[in-house]
Amino acid sequence: MSRIKTLASAVLATTLTAGLSTSALAAAGDPVKIGIMLPFSGIYAQLGEAGRDGLKLALKEKASALHGSPVEFIELDTEAKPSRAPELASSLLNQHEADFVIGPVHSGVAMGMIKMLRGKDTIMIIPNAGSAAATGPLCAPNIFRTSFSSWQPSYPMGKVALDKGYKKVYAISWNYGMGRESLDAFEESFTAGGGEIVEKVLLPFPSTNFQSHVSDIAATNPDAVFTFFAGGGAIKFVKDYDAMGLRGKIPLLGSGFLTEGTLQAQGDAAEGVLTGLHYAEQLDVPKNREFREAFNTEYGHYPDIYAVQGYDAGQAIANTIGQLEGDISDKQAVISTMEKLTIDSPRGEFTFSRAHNPIQNIYLREVKDGVNVVQSVAAEALEDPARGCKL
Amino acid sequence: MSTELFFVQLINGLQYGLLLFLIASGLTLVFGVMGILNLAHGSMYMVGAYLVWYFVAVTGSFTVSAILSAVIALGLGILIERVLIQRLYNRNHLDQVLLTIGMIFVFNSLQSILWGNDPYGVAVPEALSGSVPFTDNSSYPVYRIFAALICIAIAAALYFMVSKTRLGMLIRAGESNREMVEALGVNIKSLYTIVFAIGVMLAAISGIIAAPMRSIVPGMGESVLITCFVVVVIGGMGSIKGAFVGALLVGVISTFAAVLMPTMSNMVIYLFMILVLLVKPQGLFAK
């Protein structure tokens, strides 16, 4: 079944020629091959589609920067299954000879892709997966990320908590990479400033049986709670927290994914929740307003953070090709050009760190009337420490 | 753990256990009466939750949506039994497993096509949205108390139906000797249709009741299915009383395990199941 799907996607690989000026530089040579490895089915399908749509919008807007090269997309569905990642990445590398590979959403899939693509001539751009290893111990010249590292949204929240006068914090998340790394990043800045983690709970992923823990929080009575949950778990946790009467009594802080794409389902229960993230839909940046309208015109709905990250991956490709005047045959030149880019992102401008992770602002947001309202810049031009990266 | 927190967690555990019973009751009823192992039972729970979410969005009323969803689930149960399950009565469990696993895939795909993959939530109905003061700084939501009471009421109704009504008598008779019941002139075919449809409706009702307390996400059916099987195996396959006791035990044990050893909490109920099976290989209330 999955093999048929792979074949079908490959056959359906679309060639985007419309919108490209044929009169641009005569040397309209080989197409730029962009492999897309995102989940288009399963629990993360929505995220995969958003990333792809953002990517394609950027390449369409910046068609003139491509110097007449047509773009060929090869879309493969990862189904967010880590076990399929090496096989798919290998087919993009060897069979399709992709110049760029965009993916994935899921950190587990990222590990499988990196295993295959690390040190190769194909440039890999991660438009979501926040795993620390990708721009840490496993960093490589040809691996870039346009999203975030798990450390980035949570680290500034320790200082936010201290500034609010919270001394004792209860930390809770799922026991997997992103969950552990988020709590550790928070703890790092919070304890350095004199705060104390009174309890650190790691639940098996993806268990959402939170009620007993919420009761435990009530009994512990900390100054605040810090958490990382996403998707269905984020909805359930915030609702349970509210249902047990803790909202308004014990402040709830989190990594931004707690209230990203979940606010409608959380309803009033999310009011007042404080989170840190590198983006907010209502962010007051001209590029953001422009991007949101362009995306809506193209696809008929407004973009989310995953679309922004895909869009920036597309911008990174287009700007690199533009600066190299269409010649991407020298991969060393491609890497050194991309490293030096400043991306005019809807989240605000960012550059790449030595480990190729965005150096970006993290915004403190508070949920008000069902919207993540930016309160302040929690950390300006924050760079992931890239522990273990030898670049 | 203070005495106060102990009682708080005990109540959390019992409330979770009651919901587990409601989900598991349909599974054990269908197995006990018809000998059908319905792996798609969790999907019916998912269908209930998605239906009520959809109807609340359309009608705005939780009560209307809940009734509509339950009725649709009953209809769906009749349809599935007539079209698919009926062909399996004389086949072995492996064939039943294959068909019902296939149904899981079908329902998951239907969910994805009809309602998309975004996580959803249902607001607690207005009349039940309050909470009662509980401990110093927490309160207990009225809806959860209501949900627990509904579960108890349904458990009582099931008990009454099985042990005191004519339908219950037929069900019990059908369980012990299908041919004899048929020979006495009872239409066993329609009896089976009714039982299966009730099983599906019970799963859907638990999905409906759980909807305002949980998040409505793809794959929610599979996660409850496994816990349900643990409940039914501990209680004894086919025993309603067993499902009730098993569900409360699993609810309380997993709640305390979650607090006392969070990283191992998922394992604890399986360890408990192994212990029970070592002592009583057929489960606590096997026939």
Side-chain angles (χ1 to χ4, degrees):
Chain A
M1 176 66 192
S2 55
R3 193 166 289 274
I4 295 171
K5 234 189 240 169
T6 314
L7 283 172
S9 329
V11 171
L12 285 172
T14 45
T15 308
L16 183 93
T17 42
L20 295 179
S21 154
T22 41
S23 62
L25 291 188
D30 298 336
V32 177
K33 288 189 183 173
I34 301 182
I36 302 179
M37 264 185 73
L38 292 170
F40 299 118
S41 61
I43 188 157
Y44 286 140
Q46 216 82 29
L47 282 59
E49 282 159 23
R52 177 195 57 195
D53 290 351
L55 174 80
K56 290 192 172 175
L57 178 64
L59 288 162
K60 192 177 165 192
E61 283 180 355
K62 295 195 172 256
S64 63
L66 302 178
H67 289 269
S69 309
V71 178
E72 184 183 334
F73 292 108
I74 305 124
E75 291 181 27
L76 302 183
D77 180 7
T78 63
E79 300 170 45
K81 285 184 183 152
S83 55
R84 310 220 319 122
E87 177 201 337
L88 295 182
S90 151
S91 88
L92 286 177
L93 182 68
N94 301 318
Q95 187 188 337
H96 298 286
E97 298 177 329
D99 299 301
F100 300 93
V101 172
I102 311 301
V105 160
H106 184 283
S107 283
V109 176
M111 293 302 108
M113 288 175 69
I114 289 172
K115 210 188 292 172
M116 209 43 95
L117 300 176
R118 196 161 183 258
K120 299 289 186 337
D121 276 348
T122 297
I123 311 291
M124 171 177 174
I125 305 178
I126 304 172
N128 189 58
S131 160
T135 56
L138 295 178
C139 74
N142 68 326
I143 299 174
F144 288 79
R145 178 148 65 189
T146 56
S147 49
F148 59 92
S149 71
S150 55
W151 183 88
Q152 283 181 311
S154 294
Y155 180 79
M157 293 306 285
K159 191 170 171 300
V160 168
L162 290 167
D163 288 348
K164 300 242 174 221
Y166 309 144
K167 292 274 175 276
K168 292 176 191 298
V169 164
Y170 191 110
I172 180 167
S173 186
W174 280 314
N175 190 15
Y176 77 131
M178 186 73 193
R180 278 195 307 270
E181 288 165 14
S182 298
L183 293 197
D184 288 349
F186 173 83
E187 190 175 359
E188 188 184 334
S189 63
F190 186 62
T191 51
E196 185 198 346
I197 304 285
V198 285
E199 193 91 50
K200 188 170 176 181
V201 178
L202 289 166
L203 309 174
F205 178 80
S207 153
T208 58
N209 201 5
F210 297 135
Q211 202 176 342
S212 50
H213 300 286
V214 175
S215 296
D216 192 45
I217 291 171
T220 310
N221 199 15
D223 297 336
V225 173
F226 180 81
T227 181
F228 166 85
F229 288 112
I235 297 172
K236 175 80 164 44
F237 186 82
V238 168
K239 286 180 94 173
D240 279 2
Y241 199 82
D242 176 53
M244 296 297 281
L246 296 189
R247 178 167 68 96
K249 287 188 191 134
I250 304 172
L252 181 58
L253 281 62
S255 169
F257 299 94
L258 188 65
T259 57
E260 210 52 40
T262 55
L263 282 173
Q264 208 183 352
Q266 286 162 336
D268 287 345
E271 290 294 305
V273 174
L274 286 173
T275 59
L277 201 66
H278 51 291
Y279 181 65
E281 292 182 1
Q282 305 304 325
L283 191 64
D284 195 16
V285 174
K287 179 71 187 178
N288 188 36
R289 286 192 292 272
E290 194 184 297
F291 165 70
R292 294 182 66 75
E293 289 314 318
F295 191 95
N296 187 36
T297 311
E298 184 78 18
Y299 302 108
H301 62 95
Y302 282 97
D304 55 14
I305 187 169
Y306 308 103
V308 171
Q309 295 168 169
Y311 180 78
D312 289 342
Q315 291 205 82
I317 294 175
N319 292 357
T320 303
I321 298 177
Q323 289 194 13
L324 292 169
E325 298 183 343
D327 177 16
I328 54 165
S329 51
D330 179 357
K331 296 301 170 189
Q332 280 314 315
V334 172
I335 290 170
S336 57
T337 306
M338 197 175 271
E339 278 177 335
K340 294 188 195 82
L341 290 179
T342 298
I343 307 279
D344 184 17
S345 166
R347 74 188 93 167
E349 284 190 350
F350 74 81
T351 53
F352 289 107
S353 68
R354 70 183 163 92
H356 298 170
N357 191 63
I359 300 177
Q360 57 191 342
N361 290 348
I362 300 297
Y363 303 99
L364 174 64
R365 304 126 22 110
E366 180 174 357
V367 180
K368 282 183 183 163
D369 300 321
V371 176
N372 284 304
V373 179
V374 176
Q375 299 291 302
S376 63
V377 179
E380 205 160 320
L382 186 68
E383 180 176 351
D384 181 89
R387 291 177 186 121
C389 174
K390 295 204 174 65
L391 276 182
Chain B
M1 190 183 284
S2 66
T3 352
E4 184 190 80
L5 187 57
F6 176 81
F7 280 107
V8 171
Q9 300 296 18
L10 189 65
I11 290 171
N12 283 336
L14 290 174
Q15 190 237 313
Y16 177 47
L18 282 168
L19 186 66
L20 276 182
F21 162 72
L22 195 53
I23 312 173
S25 59
L27 186 70
T28 205
L29 181 73
V30 167
F31 182 81
V33 177
M34 306 162 57
I36 291 280
L37 201 55
N38 182 13
L39 290 180
H41 194 72
S43 302
M44 303 301 134
Y45 167 82
M46 174 191 78
V47 166
Y50 269 95
L51 279 176
V52 81
W53 165 78
Y54 175 74
F55 285 124
V56 164
V58 174
T59 66
S61 157
F62 186 80
T63 320
V64 172
S65 309
I67 293 169
L68 263 176
S69 310
V71 171
I72 291 178
L74 191 69
L76 188 65
I78 293 172
L79 187 76
I80 292 173
E81 200 274 345
R82 282 284 153 97
V83 177
L84 298 169
I85 303 293
Q86 244 176 32
R87 301 161 199 276
L88 293 180
Y89 292 134
N90 300 321
R91 304 271 197 99
N92 59 28
H93 282 315
L94 180 63
D95 290 354
Q96 300 170 0
V97 164
L98 285 176
L99 175 79
T100 52
I101 280 188
M103 280 161 58
I104 294 181
F105 292 123
V106 170
F107 280 105
N108 281 350
S109 297
L110 281 176
Q111 163 262 312
S112 181
I113 293 165
L114 289 174
W115 296 305
N117 296 317
D118 274 349
Y120 301 117
V122 173
V124 171
E126 201 65 46
L128 300 167
S129 65
S131 54
V132 289
F134 195 39
T135 61
D136 288 345
N137 59 357
S138 72
S139 45
Y140 215 81
V142 171
Y143 184 80
R144 283 176 201 232
I145 300 170
F146 166 80
L149 291 177
I150 292 270
C151 293
I152 293 172
I154 292 177
L158 262 182
Y159 174 78
F160 179 79
M161 183 193 84
V162 173
S163 59
K164 303 276 191 263
T165 65
R166 187 179 156 78
L167 176 66
M169 218 162 65
L170 290 174
I171 287 175
R172 280 179 289 139
E175 261 176 78
S176 43
N177 196 330
R178 184 194 155 128
E179 284 77 18
M180 183 54 90
V181 177
E182 219 168 358
L184 290 171
V186 175
N187 185 347
I188 197 99
K189 248 178 127 176
S190 46
L191 177 71
Y192 274 23
T193 308
I194 292 167
V195 169
F196 189 84
I198 290 176
V200 165
M201 191 169 71
L202 283 171
I205 289 176
S206 25
I208 294 165
I209 291 175
M213 300 189 280
R214 315 205 131 215
S215 39
I216 300 164
V217 288
M220 63 187 289
E222 284 91 286
S223 59
V224 300
L225 180 73
I226 297 168
T227 319
C228 249
F229 267 102
V230 173
V231 163
V232 169
V233 168
I234 288 175
M237 294 290 288
S239 159
I240 301 261
K241 204 203 298 173
F244 189 75
V245 175
L248 291 185
L249 281 172
V250 168
V252 170
I253 289 171
S254 65
T255 298
F256 278 100
V259 183
L260 298 175
M261 38 183 154
T263 40
M264 307 238 306
S265 56
N266 277 12
M267 216 188 337
V268 172
I269 55 166
Y270 301 106
L271 290 176
F272 177 67
M273 179 175 80
I274 292 170
L275 275 180
V276 168
L277 293 184
L278 282 175
V279 181
K280 292 202 123 192
Q282 301 292 315
L284 295 172
F285 293 88
K287 297 183 177 147

